[in-house]
Amino acid sequence: MDTLLVVLIDGIVYASWLFVVAAGLTLIYGVMKILNMAHGSLYAIGAYTAASLVGWYFAAGYVPWASYLVFIGGATVVGVAAGVLVERGVLRLMYGSDEVVMILVTYAILLILEDLTKLVWGVDSYYSYQPYSLLGQTNIAHIPFANYDLAMVGVAGLIGLLLWYGLNRTRRGKILRAVIHDREMSSAMGINVTRTYIITFMIGSALGAIAGGLTAPTLSVAPGLGIEVIILAFAVVVIGGLGSVGGAAFGSLLVGIGRAAAVQAFPQIELLVIYVIMAMVLAIRPQGLFVAAAARKI
Amino acid sequence: MPIILQTRSLSKSFGAVIAAADINVTVNEQEIVGVIGSNGAGKTTFINMVTGYLKPSEGAIFFRDRNITGLSPRQVTRTGICRSFQVAQLFPELTVLENMLVASNMLSGRPLSWQRPLKTAAAIEAARTSLAEYQIEEYAETLAATLPQGVRKLLDIAMATVGKPALLLLDEPTSGVAIEEKFDLMENIMEVVQRSGVTCLFVEHDMEIISKYASRVIAFYEGRIIADGPTEQTLASPDVKEFIIGTELHRQGEPPETSHRSQASSNPEAKNLIPRPQYS
Amino acid sequence: MRKADKTIISLLVALVLLLATSPVLPKWFSFLIAISLAEGLVTLGLVVLKRAGLISFGQGLYYCLGGYAVGIVGQYGGISNALALILCALVVGGLVSALVGLLLCRYRDIFFAMLTLAFSMILYGVLANTASLGSTDGFGVVPIGFFGWHPASQRLGLVVYLLICVLAVGSAMLVHRYFSAGMGWAGEAIRENEIRVEYLGISPQKILYFKYIVAALLAALGGALAAFASGHVDPNMAYWTTSGDFVFMMLLGGSANVAAPFIGAFIFEVIRTFAFDFVPYTWHMILGIVLLLIILFQPNGLWALFSKLSKKKAGVV
């Protein structure tokens, strides 16, 4: 019973930050039909920025509770800036290319950004535990859980709600969904598709960076983080369905809980659970669990 | 002549849209049949079903006593039915000669080889001969993607006939071709068809071409066959004149009024409001 | 016909050069060539798939299987006969691809790419967590021999180099022959117009299935040879970035000719080696920039720059 609770909560905690990353990735794919491998770098940039800010902030001795605004806000700002640079600098030159070619382009950008972060932040690990330990712990059924983790679940849930509301209830959101559905038709209807792309990429990058900022206090931020994360987010997005934010939520829950269960029961399969699920989904329902099958083009 | 193709109550619907309903067709060996009807009438759906690209919702298809309903295009081709396409289906980045070599290699019936070169002197010569039959040999080294439309259609058909099929289905062989070239094209195709004795069904919108080359005409309208018989007789029938030829005359210069036809037939009150074109 | 002769002759000349210069090449350079040729084999497999319209992001699966096959059979089976070990690698690669390919041959484009990636990561996950195989550290590969003869350890590198040169060039010649045959051209046809191929009486799935197995065999061979050359295998061979490296080698070289992937692999390794030595923290960045430049300006790979063939014959990304 205890194990079940641990699996559930750990799984949901893992799923929450994964959802935020995956939501950004799936949104960018949905609107721009680009599978942005560089998204992992934006996560890493967000994490590094947050870690640096935490380090500076607490060393400078400012009020602890305001640190959250600082490091998450800072991560977001830097992430969005990086995203805009990537989109305007490189991606827009390649619009209209084959989807697989775009993956190669974004992979190249991932490699470049990975080294850029190494140049800026060095190769040492960054620890920024203060915001994490500051919030203390809560006992649920006599098992201690970090409040920061639980708060992260809340933040992820909030982001999910905001995304849902934004996409479904606002005019801008409807425009986004129109472009997701049919880019050419939207353009023919007078929607400024280029501006939609820029905004989408900014939102997507923000989500990636926020996820990085949120998780920075929970781990040691080190080189290679972007590469590790992108492949996880990628699997989640494939499982949920490319372009579906709801799918990303479901996918991250499935992966998070699956992984937590594996860690408790069969640790040897922890690393491959996610890819087995990904392969199964691709084999049975390639478009993902939450996306309708596209009409056969042939 | 024995029956080569027979469809029984062939139907295809996509949800509420009925693309073809109760198609009963019998074609004899060596017949040359013209298929007419406005766009959306069901002609291409019919060809797609016969060749296995679409699974019929109902009905059966028989090729020389063999039930071929539900077979895939690959299997249908192997029984001896070949087709050409409304939009020529070529291999764009390959040359015309390579297109031909690949097609004849695949249709030869022998398993593809892992090491015997495709471009042997014998194969090249045979391919060139096939191209020459359609008078497109001069384009042999041209990329298929850069061909003029008439040559594209001829290559498409050449690739269909190189396998010496028993039944040839041509989907609008002259569509997209300039009017002054249409007759030359059909003349060329029909010469090859008649020389090889293959049974041929071709979809065509130009009534003059139909009159000249088809001994029999099948007329489609809104998914059904509304006429089927010898050419002169069928083209003169009142139904065909009203529903198809009327619009065909329009296609050669005047704006089409097919929509009026459908509107008129589905909304009885509109019959009196929509002006009906006067034909002599 | 003349074109085919030119390639075979060039390959033979290259082989002679590689073999003849072996005594005078500095060890680091012959090692570089050996690794490049081994990786070039994997990339050659990618070219086979690319010409048929598919890009695999998971060749690392077979590269790793080949390496681990020779590693495991060598360590635990006590076999050091190079040819026997290579046979094991090919059998493993062949069996796995025969199974996996049944599923994969039904997919195209981005779904094919993603599925290949997933399978390679599954292998990574399995190996990284298998303590008996050294987990993420991997393990060492026994020195090879031939039918009882074991080269002295200082000569081992040279022997491996010679073996790799012969096998790489030999494979290239076989694949070249394959490309000019009916099966090879079937791949081009499928890439260009799959529907037409169906209407010509051929099953695209069946053709792609065989191509997938061919690519897997080449990758397994490459993995085995790389294991011989480096003396070590680890799960990283199956990590997705390794598969990404192979795709980049293909981009660098192009897919117009069987020699192109080897050249692409060589250039990749040269950049990697020199970047490591001179600017160790920017190797990825340099690679990324080179690749962006290739994709933007020379998507047919560097081969097209040197090739006298007209653009129409080169594979287009």
Side-chain angles (χ1 to χ4, degrees), chain A residues 60-111:
Chain A
Y62 295 120
V63 187
W65 55 262
S67 68
Y68 299 94
L69 277 160
V70 172
F71 74 82
I72 295 180
T76 315
V77 167
V78 173
V80 171
V84 169
L85 272 170
V86 165
E87 196 270 334
R88 288 284 96 195
V90 183
L91 287 183
R92 76 180 164 91
L93 300 170
M94 300 296 304
Y95 285 152
S97 301
D98 183 55
E99 275 185 19
V100 178
V101 172
M102 286 313 286
I103 297 182
L104 295 172
V105 169
T106 55
Y107 180 54
I109 298 173
L110 168 75
L111 293 176

Short mmCIF file of all heavy atoms in Angstrom, two decimals, chain A residues 60-111:
data_model
loop_
_atom_site.label_atom_id
_atom_site.label_comp_id
_atom_site.label_asym_id
_atom_site.label_seq_id
_atom_site.Cartn_x
_atom_site.Cartn_y
_atom_site.Cartn_z
N ALA A 60 23.48 36.65 -2.16
CA ALA A 60 23.29 38.08 -1.90
C ALA A 60 22.40 38.32 -0.69
O ALA A 60 22.28 39.44 -0.22
CB ALA A 60 22.70 38.74 -3.13
N GLY A 61 21.77 37.26 -0.23
CA GLY A 61 21.01 37.37 1.01
C GLY A 61 19.65 38.04 0.90
O GLY A 61 19.20 38.66 1.85
N TYR A 62 19.00 37.93 -0.23
CA TYR A 62 17.68 38.53 -0.35
C TYR A 62 16.62 37.66 0.32
O TYR A 62 16.89 36.56 0.76
CB TYR A 62 17.31 38.74 -1.82
CG TYR A 62 18.19 39.73 -2.52
CD1 TYR A 62 18.94 39.36 -3.63
CD2 TYR A 62 18.29 41.05 -2.07
CE1 TYR A 62 19.75 40.26 -4.28
CE2 TYR A 62 19.11 41.95 -2.70
CZ TYR A 62 19.84 41.57 -3.80
OH TYR A 62 20.64 42.46 -4.43
N VAL A 63 15.41 38.19 0.35
CA VAL A 63 14.32 37.48 1.01
C VAL A 63 14.08 36.13 0.34
O VAL A 63 13.81 36.08 -0.86
CB VAL A 63 13.02 38.31 0.92
CG1 VAL A 63 11.94 37.66 1.73
CG2 VAL A 63 13.30 39.74 1.36
N PRO A 64 14.15 35.05 1.10
CA PRO A 64 14.08 33.71 0.49
C PRO A 64 12.81 33.45 -0.31
O PRO A 64 12.87 32.89 -1.39
CB PRO A 64 14.17 32.76 1.69
CG PRO A 64 14.86 33.53 2.74
CD PRO A 64 14.46 34.96 2.55
N TRP A 65 11.63 33.86 0.19
CA TRP A 65 10.42 33.41 -0.49
C TRP A 65 10.26 34.06 -1.86
O TRP A 65 9.53 33.57 -2.69
CB TRP A 65 9.18 33.64 0.37
CG TRP A 65 8.99 35.05 0.84
CD1 TRP A 65 9.32 35.58 2.04
CD2 TRP A 65 8.44 36.13 0.08
NE1 TRP A 65 9.01 36.90 2.10
CE2 TRP A 65 8.46 37.28 0.91
CE3 TRP A 65 7.91 36.26 -1.21
CZ2 TRP A 65 7.99 38.51 0.49
CZ3 TRP A 65 7.45 37.50 -1.63
CH2 TRP A 65 7.50 38.62 -0.77
N ALA A 66 10.93 35.19 -2.06
CA ALA A 66 10.80 35.83 -3.38
C ALA A 66 11.69 35.18 -4.41
O ALA A 66 11.60 35.49 -5.60
CB ALA A 66 11.12 37.31 -3.26
N SER A 67 12.56 34.26 -3.95
CA SER A 67 13.50 33.64 -4.90
C SER A 67 12.76 32.92 -6.02
O SER A 67 13.22 32.86 -7.16
CB SER A 67 14.44 32.68 -4.19
OG SER A 67 13.70 31.56 -3.73
N TYR A 68 11.59 32.39 -5.68
CA TYR A 68 10.88 31.58 -6.67
C TYR A 68 10.54 32.40 -7.90
O TYR A 68 10.71 31.97 -9.03
CB TYR A 68 9.61 30.97 -6.04
CG TYR A 68 9.95 30.06 -4.89
CD1 TYR A 68 9.95 30.55 -3.58
CD2 TYR A 68 10.32 28.74 -5.11
CE1 TYR A 68 10.30 29.73 -2.52
CE2 TYR A 68 10.67 27.92 -4.06
CZ TYR A 68 10.66 28.42 -2.77
OH TYR A 68 11.02 27.61 -1.73
N LEU A 69 10.06 33.62 -7.64
CA LEU A 69 9.74 34.49 -8.76
C LEU A 69 10.98 34.75 -9.60
O LEU A 69 10.95 34.74 -10.82
CB LEU A 69 9.20 35.82 -8.23
CG LEU A 69 7.72 35.84 -7.87
CD1 LEU A 69 7.43 37.00 -6.93
CD2 LEU A 69 6.91 35.97 -9.15
N VAL A 70 12.07 34.99 -8.88
CA VAL A 70 13.30 35.38 -9.57
C VAL A 70 13.82 34.27 -10.47
O VAL A 70 14.05 34.47 -11.66
CB VAL A 70 14.38 35.80 -8.54
CG1 VAL A 70 15.71 36.01 -9.23
CG2 VAL A 70 13.95 37.06 -7.81
N PHE A 71 13.98 33.08 -9.87
CA PHE A 71 14.68 32.09 -10.70
C PHE A 71 13.77 31.50 -11.77
O PHE A 71 14.21 31.18 -12.88
CB PHE A 71 15.39 31.02 -9.86
CG PHE A 71 14.51 29.97 -9.20
CD1 PHE A 71 14.07 28.87 -9.92
CD2 PHE A 71 14.18 30.07 -7.85
CE1 PHE A 71 13.30 27.89 -9.30
CE2 PHE A 71 13.42 29.10 -7.24
CZ PHE A 71 12.98 28.00 -7.97
N ILE A 72 12.48 31.38 -11.46
CA ILE A 72 11.60 30.84 -12.51
C ILE A 72 11.35 31.91 -13.57
O ILE A 72 11.36 31.63 -14.77
CB ILE A 72 10.28 30.34 -11.90
CG1 ILE A 72 10.58 29.14 -10.99
CG2 ILE A 72 9.29 29.94 -12.98
CD1 ILE A 72 9.38 28.55 -10.33
N GLY A 73 11.14 33.14 -13.11
CA GLY A 73 10.93 34.22 -14.06
C GLY A 73 12.15 34.42 -14.94
O GLY A 73 12.05 34.55 -16.17
N GLY A 74 13.32 34.40 -14.30
CA GLY A 74 14.56 34.59 -15.05
C GLY A 74 14.75 33.50 -16.08
O GLY A 74 15.13 33.76 -17.23
N ALA A 75 14.49 32.27 -15.65
CA ALA A 75 14.63 31.14 -16.58
C ALA A 75 13.73 31.34 -17.79
O ALA A 75 14.13 31.11 -18.93
CB ALA A 75 14.30 29.83 -15.87
N THR A 76 12.51 31.77 -17.50
CA THR A 76 11.54 31.97 -18.59
C THR A 76 12.02 33.02 -19.57
O THR A 76 12.01 32.82 -20.79
CB THR A 76 10.18 32.41 -18.03
OG1 THR A 76 9.86 31.59 -16.92
CG2 THR A 76 9.10 32.27 -19.09
N VAL A 77 12.47 34.14 -19.04
CA VAL A 77 12.91 35.24 -19.92
C VAL A 77 14.06 34.80 -20.81
O VAL A 77 14.02 34.98 -22.03
CB VAL A 77 13.32 36.47 -19.07
CG1 VAL A 77 14.07 37.47 -19.92
CG2 VAL A 77 12.10 37.11 -18.44
N VAL A 78 15.06 34.18 -20.20
CA VAL A 78 16.23 33.75 -20.99
C VAL A 78 15.81 32.69 -22.00
O VAL A 78 16.25 32.70 -23.15
CB VAL A 78 17.33 33.21 -20.04
CG1 VAL A 78 18.47 32.60 -20.85
CG2 VAL A 78 17.85 34.33 -19.16
N GLY A 79 14.94 31.78 -21.57
CA GLY A 79 14.48 30.72 -22.47
C GLY A 79 13.77 31.28 -23.68
O GLY A 79 14.03 30.88 -24.82
N VAL A 80 12.87 32.23 -23.45
CA VAL A 80 12.14 32.82 -24.57
C VAL A 80 13.09 33.55 -25.50
O VAL A 80 12.98 33.44 -26.74
CB VAL A 80 11.04 33.78 -24.06
CG1 VAL A 80 10.45 34.55 -25.21
CG2 VAL A 80 9.96 32.99 -23.33
N ALA A 81 14.04 34.29 -24.91
CA ALA A 81 15.00 35.00 -25.75
C ALA A 81 15.77 34.03 -26.63
O ALA A 81 15.93 34.24 -27.84
CB ALA A 81 15.96 35.80 -24.86
N ALA A 82 16.23 32.93 -26.03
CA ALA A 82 16.97 31.93 -26.81
C ALA A 82 16.09 31.36 -27.90
O ALA A 82 16.51 31.17 -29.05
CB ALA A 82 17.47 30.81 -25.88
N GLY A 83 14.83 31.11 -27.54
CA GLY A 83 13.91 30.55 -28.52
C GLY A 83 13.71 31.46 -29.71
O GLY A 83 13.73 31.03 -30.86
N VAL A 84 13.53 32.75 -29.42
CA VAL A 84 13.33 33.70 -30.51
C VAL A 84 14.56 33.74 -31.42
O VAL A 84 14.45 33.75 -32.64
CB VAL A 84 13.02 35.10 -29.95
CG1 VAL A 84 13.07 36.13 -31.07
CG2 VAL A 84 11.67 35.12 -29.29
N LEU A 85 15.74 33.71 -30.80
CA LEU A 85 16.97 33.71 -31.60
C LEU A 85 17.03 32.51 -32.53
O LEU A 85 17.38 32.62 -33.70
CB LEU A 85 18.19 33.67 -30.65
CG LEU A 85 18.71 35.02 -30.18
CD1 LEU A 85 19.72 34.83 -29.07
CD2 LEU A 85 19.33 35.79 -31.34
N VAL A 86 16.67 31.33 -31.96
CA VAL A 86 16.70 30.10 -32.77
C VAL A 86 15.71 30.19 -33.93
O VAL A 86 16.03 29.88 -35.07
CB VAL A 86 16.38 28.87 -31.88
CG1 VAL A 86 16.05 27.66 -32.73
CG2 VAL A 86 17.55 28.56 -30.96
N GLU A 87 14.52 30.66 -33.61
CA GLU A 87 13.47 30.67 -34.63
C GLU A 87 13.78 31.68 -35.72
O GLU A 87 13.75 31.37 -36.90
CB GLU A 87 12.13 30.96 -33.97
CG GLU A 87 10.92 30.62 -34.83
CD GLU A 87 10.48 31.78 -35.69
OE1 GLU A 87 10.74 32.93 -35.31
OE2 GLU A 87 9.89 31.53 -36.76
N ARG A 88 14.08 32.88 -35.31
CA ARG A 88 14.33 33.92 -36.30
C ARG A 88 15.67 33.72 -36.99
O ARG A 88 15.85 34.06 -38.15
CB ARG A 88 14.31 35.30 -35.63
CG ARG A 88 12.91 35.76 -35.22
CD ARG A 88 12.10 36.24 -36.40
NE ARG A 88 11.24 35.18 -36.93
CZ ARG A 88 10.65 35.24 -38.12
NH1 ARG A 88 10.82 36.30 -38.89
NH2 ARG A 88 9.90 34.25 -38.53
N GLY A 89 16.62 33.19 -36.24
CA GLY A 89 17.97 33.07 -36.80
C GLY A 89 18.12 31.90 -37.76
O GLY A 89 18.71 32.04 -38.82
N VAL A 90 17.61 30.76 -37.40
CA VAL A 90 17.86 29.58 -38.22
C VAL A 90 16.59 28.96 -38.80
O VAL A 90 16.50 28.71 -39.99
CB VAL A 90 18.59 28.49 -37.38
CG1 VAL A 90 18.91 27.30 -38.24
CG2 VAL A 90 19.85 29.06 -36.77
N LEU A 91 15.62 28.72 -37.96
CA LEU A 91 14.46 27.95 -38.40
C LEU A 91 13.72 28.58 -39.57
O LEU A 91 13.28 27.88 -40.48
CB LEU A 91 13.50 27.71 -37.24
CG LEU A 91 13.98 26.69 -36.21
CD1 LEU A 91 12.92 26.48 -35.15
CD2 LEU A 91 14.32 25.37 -36.87
N ARG A 92 13.57 29.89 -39.53
CA ARG A 92 12.74 30.50 -40.58
C ARG A 92 13.36 30.33 -41.96
O ARG A 92 12.68 30.43 -42.96
CB ARG A 92 12.48 31.97 -40.28
CG ARG A 92 13.67 32.84 -40.56
CD ARG A 92 13.40 34.30 -40.27
NE ARG A 92 14.66 35.00 -40.19
CZ ARG A 92 15.25 35.58 -41.23
NH1 ARG A 92 14.64 35.55 -42.40
NH2 ARG A 92 16.40 36.17 -41.10
N LEU A 93 14.68 30.04 -42.00
CA LEU A 93 15.31 29.81 -43.29
C LEU A 93 14.88 28.47 -43.89
O LEU A 93 15.04 28.22 -45.07
CB LEU A 93 16.84 29.81 -43.14
CG LEU A 93 17.47 31.09 -42.61
CD1 LEU A 93 18.94 30.84 -42.29
CD2 LEU A 93 17.35 32.21 -43.61
N MET A 94 14.34 27.61 -43.03
CA MET A 94 14.08 26.25 -43.47
C MET A 94 12.60 25.91 -43.56
O MET A 94 12.25 24.75 -43.76
CB MET A 94 14.73 25.25 -42.48
CG MET A 94 16.21 25.37 -42.34
SD MET A 94 17.09 25.01 -43.86
CE MET A 94 16.49 23.39 -44.25
N TYR A 95 11.73 26.91 -43.38
CA TYR A 95 10.30 26.60 -43.41
C TYR A 95 9.90 25.99 -44.74
O TYR A 95 10.33 26.42 -45.79
CB TYR A 95 9.46 27.85 -43.16
CG TYR A 95 9.46 28.28 -41.72
CD1 TYR A 95 9.29 29.61 -41.36
CD2 TYR A 95 9.64 27.35 -40.71
CE1 TYR A 95 9.30 30.00 -40.04
CE2 TYR A 95 9.65 27.74 -39.38
CZ TYR A 95 9.48 29.06 -39.05
OH TYR A 95 9.48 29.46 -37.75
N GLY A 96 9.04 25.00 -44.69
CA GLY A 96 8.60 24.36 -45.91
C GLY A 96 9.40 23.11 -46.21
O GLY A 96 9.05 22.36 -47.11
N SER A 97 10.48 22.89 -45.46
CA SER A 97 11.27 21.69 -45.74
C SER A 97 10.54 20.46 -45.24
O SER A 97 9.63 20.53 -44.44
CB SER A 97 12.62 21.77 -45.03
OG SER A 97 13.32 22.91 -45.44
N ASP A 98 11.01 19.34 -45.70
CA ASP A 98 10.52 18.04 -45.26
C ASP A 98 10.63 17.91 -43.74
O ASP A 98 11.57 18.41 -43.14
CB ASP A 98 11.40 16.99 -45.95
CG ASP A 98 10.96 15.59 -45.66
OD1 ASP A 98 9.78 15.31 -45.92
OD2 ASP A 98 11.78 14.81 -45.17
N GLU A 99 9.66 17.23 -43.14
CA GLU A 99 9.65 17.08 -41.67
C GLU A 99 10.90 16.44 -41.13
O GLU A 99 11.43 16.84 -40.09
CB GLU A 99 8.45 16.23 -41.25
CG GLU A 99 7.18 17.02 -41.10
CD GLU A 99 6.04 16.18 -40.57
OE1 GLU A 99 6.29 15.11 -39.98
OE2 GLU A 99 4.89 16.62 -40.73
N VAL A 100 11.39 15.42 -41.84
CA VAL A 100 12.57 14.72 -41.34
C VAL A 100 13.79 15.63 -41.43
O VAL A 100 14.66 15.63 -40.55
CB VAL A 100 12.81 13.41 -42.12
CG1 VAL A 100 14.04 12.72 -41.63
CG2 VAL A 100 11.60 12.50 -41.97
N VAL A 101 13.85 16.44 -42.48
CA VAL A 101 14.96 17.39 -42.60
C VAL A 101 14.94 18.36 -41.43
O VAL A 101 15.97 18.70 -40.85
CB VAL A 101 14.86 18.17 -43.94
CG1 VAL A 101 15.88 19.29 -43.98
CG2 VAL A 101 15.08 17.23 -45.09
N MET A 102 13.75 18.81 -41.04
CA MET A 102 13.63 19.75 -39.93
C MET A 102 14.14 19.13 -38.64
O MET A 102 14.73 19.81 -37.81
CB MET A 102 12.17 20.19 -39.74
CG MET A 102 11.67 21.16 -40.78
SD MET A 102 12.79 22.52 -41.12
CE MET A 102 12.57 23.51 -39.67
N ILE A 103 13.92 17.82 -38.47
CA ILE A 103 14.45 17.16 -37.27
C ILE A 103 15.96 17.26 -37.26
O ILE A 103 16.59 17.53 -36.23
CB ILE A 103 14.03 15.68 -37.21
CG1 ILE A 103 12.52 15.56 -37.11
CG2 ILE A 103 14.67 15.00 -36.01
CD1 ILE A 103 12.04 14.14 -37.01
N LEU A 104 16.57 17.06 -38.43
CA LEU A 104 18.02 17.14 -38.52
C LEU A 104 18.49 18.56 -38.21
O LEU A 104 19.50 18.76 -37.53
CB LEU A 104 18.49 16.71 -39.91
CG LEU A 104 18.21 15.24 -40.25
CD1 LEU A 104 18.53 14.96 -41.70
CD2 LEU A 104 19.00 14.33 -39.34
N VAL A 105 17.76 19.55 -38.72
CA VAL A 105 18.14 20.93 -38.46
C VAL A 105 18.06 21.23 -36.96
O VAL A 105 19.00 21.79 -36.38
CB VAL A 105 17.21 21.90 -39.24
CG1 VAL A 105 17.41 23.32 -38.78
CG2 VAL A 105 17.48 21.80 -40.72
N THR A 106 16.96 20.84 -36.33
CA THR A 106 16.82 21.14 -34.90
C THR A 106 17.82 20.32 -34.09
O THR A 106 18.26 20.77 -33.03
CB THR A 106 15.39 20.87 -34.40
OG1 THR A 106 15.02 19.52 -34.71
CG2 THR A 106 14.41 21.83 -35.04
N TYR A 107 18.19 19.16 -34.57
CA TYR A 107 19.20 18.37 -33.88
C TYR A 107 20.55 19.08 -33.94
O TYR A 107 21.28 19.13 -32.96
CB TYR A 107 19.29 16.97 -34.51
CG TYR A 107 20.31 16.07 -33.88
CD1 TYR A 107 20.32 15.83 -32.51
CD2 TYR A 107 21.28 15.44 -34.65
CE1 TYR A 107 21.25 14.99 -31.93
CE2 TYR A 107 22.21 14.59 -34.08
CZ TYR A 107 22.20 14.37 -32.72
OH TYR A 107 23.13 13.55 -32.15
N ALA A 108 20.85 19.64 -35.10
CA ALA A 108 22.08 20.41 -35.22
C ALA A 108 22.07 21.60 -34.26
O ALA A 108 23.07 21.89 -33.60
CB ALA A 108 22.26 20.91 -36.67
N ILE A 109 20.92 22.25 -34.14
CA ILE A 109 20.82 23.37 -33.21
C ILE A 109 20.99 22.89 -31.77
O ILE A 109 21.62 23.55 -30.95
CB ILE A 109 19.47 24.09 -33.39
CG1 ILE A 109 19.36 24.66 -34.80
CG2 ILE A 109 19.31 25.21 -32.37
CD1 ILE A 109 18.02 25.24 -35.13
N LEU A 110 20.44 21.73 -31.47
CA LEU A 110 20.61 21.14 -30.13
C LEU A 110 22.09 20.99 -29.82
O LEU A 110 22.56 21.38 -28.74
CB LEU A 110 19.91 19.78 -30.05
CG LEU A 110 20.21 18.91 -28.83
CD1 LEU A 110 19.52 19.43 -27.59
CD2 LEU A 110 19.77 17.47 -29.07
N LEU A 111 22.85 20.46 -30.76
CA LEU A 111 24.28 20.26 -30.55
C LEU A 111 24.98 21.60 -30.32
O LEU A 111 25.82 21.73 -29.42
CB LEU A 111 24.90 19.56 -31.76
CG LEU A 111 24.46 18.12 -31.99
CD1 LEU A 111 25.08 17.59 -33.27
CD2 LEU A 111 24.83 17.24 -30.82
#
